[in-house]
Amino acid sequence: MPYGRIKAEELFEKVVTAEQAAQLFKHGMVVGSSGFTKAGDSKVVLDALAKRAEKEELKVTLMTGASLGHDTDAKLTRAGALTKRMPFQVDRVLREAINKGEVLFIDQHLSESAELLHNQCLPPVDIAVIEAAFIERDGSVVPTTSVGNSVTFLSLAKKIIIEINTKVPESIYGLHDIFQPENYPHRNVIPIVAPENRIGRRSIPVDINKIAAIVFTDIQDSPADIAPPDAKTIAIAQHLLHFFEDEVRKGHLTDRLLPLQAGIGKVANAVLSGFKDSNFYDLRMFSEVLQDSTFDLLDSGKMSFASASSITVSSACYDRVFGNLQKYKDRVVLRPQNISNTPGLIRRLGVIAINTAIEFDIYGNVNSTHISGTNIMNGIGGSGDFARNAYLSIFVTQAASKGDHISHVLPMVSHVDHTEHDVDILVTDIGLADLRGLAPRERAQTIIDNCVHPDYREALQSYFDRARTLRGGHTPHILEEAFSWHTRLRETGSMK
């Protein structure tokens, strides 16, 4: 065993197998686990919990930072180990169980989970399972590739299980900025005025007496699924870059822009990758996840600094980053998600937020989470934290999909995650709609003119024209038709 990763020698006796650690769980417990977009998650203890749940009744409520890798959510779901899950997930098996009502899911803004725990509005955490690179002499924990909600879980849990992952080099020390805001009513200012400000410590403080088990692993994070840009994502990226260039010409922004936030996935990667061949420079990020495109921009010299809560990259990029950590440690920082996503900092820094929509309607309301208003996809994640508070709130999606049988611009969204009041810019592969300063009727016409797939533009224009004529109002709608496109899709397989 690589006991050198445990600097506090009195903890040597806590080293056990994953199967032994799994015996600490009891039916009905609340479990808080590290992990944020497949990064820095439990690799073996939750897996052992799932195997135990296959043989006996053992259900838990599982809280994380965001999604888990290595099919952990699927394994727990198949084993019947989950009663409730929060605040985000991306697993197909778990998603199906949630939509069947077999697992309860709380879809939360990522900035809120820690707040609700500290304010005692959620059940207390019984066991925290946290991945670490090593344990300091004082018992504090040095995280791996994410911070997420680990600071809160370690602070509030009754018992702690540490997974020391020897795959992550100890040289990761110094990459993290650990800061925990005070509880109300004694909360002070979070003193960050630029993404590169470091305000906390390099390890997470832990009550050493709460550490019940330590497990060693040597398993790399699940790699990010990096799909190459296609014609639609490239078009979306180009529309956005042209918009930013126009904002510079108007004097609204400089060539350095403002701190960037981008959601996960191929659209976000395509947008960020587009900056490599642009005139923008000295870019900064204040985001949740650092993806391949972030490190491409750092390597190209286009980006100077990036702040987030996790690093979620492809296998090739993982090797590049962790094989050259010294190259990035002065230009990258990982923070707790109640810092990376805190609304006050997003507003203070003037973040430009770019997130993905499932669909949006002609007035600018955005659905980020549900298919046809009923079935959850992944969750709202941090998009709401950023959308409400950003300098620019941008949502992107393709205009149509599935052989163009599904329009992503509709008379009315089937589920609202971001109201029209929180949305500034909408972008599809067809074009871009700048909604700032527009009344609802102006917004509708701008969206129809710029964002709608040609196959659906005439129908949407007809709906809007008839709504104005037949019903009128500040936000004209024909309620008996508003969801007819979704109904037609369910009945015929097409919105056409």
Side-chain angles (χ1 to χ4, degrees), residues 114-115 118 151-152 178-184 186-190 199 336 338-339 342 345:
E115 301 295 323
H118 281 283
V151 180
T152 294
I178 306 302
F179 180 87
Q180 180 63 58
E182 299 87 351
N183 286 338
Y184 297 110
H186 306 294
R187 179 160 295 183
N188 208 333
V189 172
I190 300 172
I199 61 172
N338 56 328
I339 301 298
T342 196
L345 292 180

Side-chain angles (χ1 to χ4, degrees), residues 359-363 365 409-416 460 463 475-479 481-486:
E359 61 186 15
F360 59 82
D361 65 29
I362 58 174
Y363 295 108
N365 300 292
V409 191
L410 300 154
M412 185 182 287
V413 287
S414 57
H415 177 92
V416 180
L460 267 181
Y463 174 86
T475 307
H477 267 304
I478 306 171
L479 291 183
E481 286 189 32
F483 296 119
S484 61
W485 293 36
H486 296 91

Side-chain angles (χ1 to χ4, degrees), residues 198-256:
R198 296 175 186 263
I199 61 172
R201 53 182 289 169
R202 299 181 178 189
S203 59
I204 305 174
V206 174
D207 179 351
I208 203 167
N209 296 311
K210 294 198 298 184
I211 298 177
I214 298 171
V215 178
F216 282 99
T217 71
D218 184 26
I219 302 172
Q220 188 169 305
D221 287 339
S222 290
D225 299 321
I226 305 297
D230 56 25
K232 290 183 178 181
T233 56
I234 291 171
I236 290 170
Q238 289 301 312
H239 293 318
L240 257 181
L241 288 170
H242 292 327
F243 166 76
F244 290 138
E245 290 165 355
D246 196 44
E247 289 292 283
V248 172
R249 282 193 291 271
K250 292 176 180 176
H252 299 164
L253 293 167
T254 71
D255 287 330
R256 291 180 170 90

Side-chain angles (χ1 to χ4, degrees), residues 67-125:
S67 54
L68 301 175
H70 295 283
D71 295 324
T72 299
D73 272 321
K75 294 171 184 175
L76 290 166
T77 302
R78 292 191 183 105
L82 296 178
T83 299
K84 187 177 290 186
R85 182 76 169 86
M86 66 181 82
F88 188 79
Q89 58 77 41
V90 298
D91 184 85
R92 178 186 58 80
V93 175
L94 175 56
R95 181 186 306 132
E96 184 176 329
I98 291 168
N99 287 322
K100 288 180 178 178
E102 296 169 354
V103 176
L104 298 176
F105 180 59
I106 299 177
D107 183 17
Q108 247 169 4
H109 296 299
L110 294 187
S111 65
E112 289 190 345
S113 303
E115 301 295 323
L116 291 169
L117 283 168
H118 281 283
N119 297 333
Q120 300 180 2
C121 298
L122 291 174
V125 178

Side-chain angles (χ1 to χ4, degrees), residues 389-429:
N389 301 285
Y391 169 82
L392 278 174
S393 175
I394 301 168
F395 282 93
V396 301
T397 188
Q398 54 190 319
S401 65
K402 304 296 183 183
D404 297 332
H405 287 292
I406 298 176
S407 174
H408 293 262
V409 191
L410 300 154
M412 185 182 287
V413 287
S414 57
H415 177 92
V416 180
D417 291 296
H418 314 283
T419 74
E420 59 186 282
H421 312 291
D422 299 334
V423 179
D424 298 317
I425 309 293
L426 292 172
V427 193
T428 68
D429 48 301

